[in-house]
Amino acid sequence: MRIGFGVPVSGSWATPANMLRVARRAEDLGYDSLWTFQRLLYPVGQDLGPSYHSVQDPVVTLAYLAGVTERVRLGVAVLNMPFFSPALLAKQLSTLQQVSGGRLDAGLGLGWLPEEFTASGVPLAGRGRRAVEYLQVLRRFWHDDIISHKGEFYEVALSHQDPRPHPAPPVLLGGTAEVALRRAGELADGWISSSRADLATMDRQIGIIKQAAREAGRDPEALRFICRGATKVREPGLADRPALTGSLEEIRSDVVALAGAGVTEVFHDLNFDPEIGNPDADPAISMRRAEEALEALAPGA
């Protein structure tokens, strides 16, 4: 089991100084990866929770962290493909892969918030078909010397896009519906669970992905299965305790259970703790709690 950590990107603790502190300490402690996430808008009148109210851009954050770390992998879970043209995202991620020395994990998703689609000038309908075509075009930008494409959603004139990444970053897909899980098995290098996932069902979801990979003639054991762990450190013995919520000992036990369910990687993301990833939280207290968790949940701790 590989262990990662979510850097501060949500709420009052998400400052450049805190990003730097968490990233460098995580690398020193032997964490395998650092992670960000995307939230483009918080529509007025919606109740999306405090973790989505104030969120730093994930690509810019990872570019910053690429310059202050050396070994740890850098991931985003996830960028929503419809909000970028394939050409733009291919260029951004190619450059990020180069400046990080090949350490990027590109988590991609479809998006779900209607207001973000409207603001991006993209219809919500047809997201699944759009994603399949998007991945084809994205990978052609990374692998082909010359690209030309005309499809249902995207058109690219006969063009070069250089420099290309060597190697191309792994593509990891999000999604919880069965069709999305099957798409991950058929097309991606792995899958990332959502922040609201029922972790008790991970084995079933992984089984769907692996079966889809087999049916597509792919090796299911080569895929990565990443749990975005919405980790909340609390007093022990909570009634009806969800996985990764509770004492540090209970959380470590949950990680072991996830490995038994087929998860290959977990990253602890305190941005989804409303007591930490919140614009109204005291940033000093949030950082103190985060650093305690960072030390206690480190690989081998």
Side-chain angles (χ1 to χ4, degrees):
M1 174 71 81
R2 296 180 178 178
I3 306 295
F5 203 85
V7 296
V9 292
S10 173
S12 58
W13 76 313
T15 66
N18 287 346
M19 293 173 187
L20 175 63
R21 283 172 62 185
V22 168
R24 285 184 166 165
R25 185 57 183 152
E27 187 165 63
D28 290 343
L29 289 168
Y31 279 87
D32 292 282
S33 54
L34 299 168
W35 293 85
T36 60
F37 70 91
Q38 181 185 51
R39 180 88 277 141
L40 193 61
L41 296 176
Y42 193 112
V44 173
Q46 293 242 22
D47 183 13
L48 303 181
S51 298
Y52 286 145
H53 199 279
S54 175
V55 181
Q56 303 281 16
D57 181 83
V59 176
V60 173
T61 299
L62 291 181
Y64 171 56
L65 297 181
V68 298
T69 57
E70 297 179 353
R71 175 199 58 80
V72 69
R73 294 195 65 79
L74 304 171
V76 53
V78 295
L79 295 172
N80 292 308
M81 292 178 278
F83 306 159
F84 305 81
S85 73
L88 175 61
L89 191 61
K91 174 64 76 173
Q92 289 181 320
L93 297 186
S94 177
T95 301
L96 185 50
Q97 176 74 330
Q98 292 187 53
V99 301
S100 69
R103 292 184 282 141
L104 176 62
D105 285 325
L108 303 178
L110 303 184
W112 55 271
L113 188 61
E115 290 86 349
E116 291 183 327
F117 280 81
T118 300
S120 301
V122 180
L124 186 64
R127 290 176 296 162
R129 298 195 316 278
R130 180 184 292 274
V132 172
E133 184 178 337
Y134 195 108
L135 291 172
Q136 293 171 347
V137 178
L138 184 74
R139 284 172 163 149
R140 290 191 62 195
F141 275 117
W142 286 343
H143 294 287
D144 294 357
D145 180 48
I146 299 175
I147 178 174
S148 175
H149 178 85
K150 187 169 184 179
E152 181 182 1
F153 299 99
Y154 301 106
E155 182 173 354
V156 182
L158 195 66
S159 303
H160 298 276
Q161 190 184 80
D162 294 308
R164 285 172 283 155
H166 298 291
V171 171
L172 311 164
L173 291 183
T176 57
E178 182 168 343
V179 64
L181 298 173
R182 292 188 59 83
R183 187 182 301 118
E186 293 163 355
L187 301 176
D189 299 302
W191 172 72
I192 304 172
S193 69
S194 78
S195 61
R196 301 178 183 182
D198 179 0
L199 302 187
T201 67
M202 292 286 281
D203 56 346
R204 184 188 66 82
Q205 294 172 307
I206 290 171
I208 292 171
I209 296 167
K210 286 187 172 183
Q211 182 60 32
R214 290 188 196 96
E215 293 172 2
R218 309 180 70 211
D219 179 6
E221 302 309 316
L223 300 182
R224 297 164 60 186
F225 297 98
I226 302 168
C227 174
R228 184 215 308 261
T231 301
K232 303 177 181 70
V233 180
R234 299 291 189 268
E235 293 298 318
L238 293 177
D240 299 321
R241 182 183 68 86
L244 301 180
T245 295
S247 69
L248 292 166
E249 182 178 350
E250 289 170 328
I251 291 169
R252 284 191 287 264
S253 176
D254 292 337
V255 170
V256 173
L258 287 168
V263 172
T264 61
E265 305 169 47
V266 171
F267 67 92
H268 295 289
D269 198 342
L270 275 61
N271 289 289
F272 290 94
D273 183 341
E275 297 179 4
I276 294 178
N278 188 326
D280 296 326
D282 183 318
I285 294 175
S286 295
M287 268 301 289
R288 176 181 56 77
R289 292 180 60 186
E291 289 181 311
E292 289 172 356
L294 185 68
E295 300 281 337
L297 299 173

